[in-house]
Amino acid sequence: MDMPATAAPLTKTDDEWKKQLNPEQYRILRKKGTERAFTGAYWNNHEAGTYRCAGCGQPLFTSETKFDSGTGWPSFWAPAAKGQVAEHEDSSFFMRRTEVVCSRCEGHLGHVFPDGPAPTGLRYCINSAALTFDKKG
């Protein structure tokens, strides 16, 4: 998992994001939305490669840490490299969760839960619309 260090922070206006992203990407990345389970492009993807932020292109996760959680969202047990994602407390919808965002553009990716497989025991539950996929090779 040799990934580059986190890139410099990226900030854009709301109008710039609206022009760059499609409506679903904008709703999820910039407005903290969630796609319906089993509807995203990558929940059942089994190809080798790198998952990048759909907002800024930063590498976030790799197929090496992806696993089938049965939840209907792409799930990973670790980010591609330290510092690629950031975590924030999320107490919306009367729940206590940990939100996961891209450390470069602060785009909402999903949430992380403590019920994943070894070796980390974590499950990064990520929206497909927040990602792009670079197939290996």
Side-chain angles (χ1 to χ4, degrees), residues 44-72:
N44 199 28
N45 182 28
H46 300 286
E47 294 186 277
T50 301
Y51 294 86
R52 297 179 175 273
C53 176
C56 70
Q58 175 165 256
L60 299 173
F61 300 96
T62 70
S63 57
E64 295 163 5
T65 64
K66 189 173 188 289
F67 70 99
D68 183 3
S69 65
T71 62

Side-chain angles (χ1 to χ4, degrees), residues 62-96:
T62 70
S63 57
E64 295 163 5
T65 64
K66 189 173 188 289
F67 70 99
D68 183 3
S69 65
T71 62
W73 287 277
S75 297
F76 306 86
W77 50 262
K82 186 175 182 172
Q84 300 301 85
V85 300
E87 298 177 5
H88 303 292
E89 185 176 317
D90 176 2
S91 56
S92 62
F93 302 108
F94 306 102
M95 293 184 275
R96 293 192 66 164

Side-chain angles (χ1 to χ4, degrees), residues 3-62:
M3 292 289 157
T6 303
L10 175 69
T11 55
K12 294 184 178 192
T13 67
D14 201 48
D15 284 341
E16 289 173 319
W17 284 119
K18 283 181 181 176
K19 287 177 186 171
Q20 176 187 329
L21 303 170
N22 69 40
E24 181 73 346
Q25 290 171 325
Y26 177 80
R27 184 181 72 79
I28 289 170
L29 284 165
R30 307 318 308 170
K31 298 299 179 186
K32 301 179 187 240
T34 301
E35 63 197 8
R36 286 188 0 255
F38 303 101
T39 64
Y42 305 122
W43 74 270
N44 199 28
N45 182 28
H46 300 286
E47 294 186 277
T50 301
Y51 294 86
R52 297 179 175 273
C53 176
C56 70
Q58 175 165 256
L60 299 173
F61 300 96
T62 70

Side-chain angles (χ1 to χ4, degrees), residues 66-128:
K66 189 173 188 289
F67 70 99
D68 183 3
S69 65
T71 62
W73 287 277
S75 297
F76 306 86
W77 50 262
K82 186 175 182 172
Q84 300 301 85
V85 300
E87 298 177 5
H88 303 292
E89 185 176 317
D90 176 2
S91 56
S92 62
F93 302 108
F94 306 102
M95 293 184 275
R96 293 192 66 164
R97 302 179 292 177
T98 302
E99 177 190 20
V100 179
V101 300
C102 173
S103 64
R104 183 169 184 233
C105 71
E106 288 286 312
H108 172 77
L109 305 172
H111 293 86
V112 62
F113 302 96
D115 61 0
T120 64
L122 298 174
R123 174 174 54 95
Y124 289 83
C125 189
I126 307 299
N127 291 286
S128 288

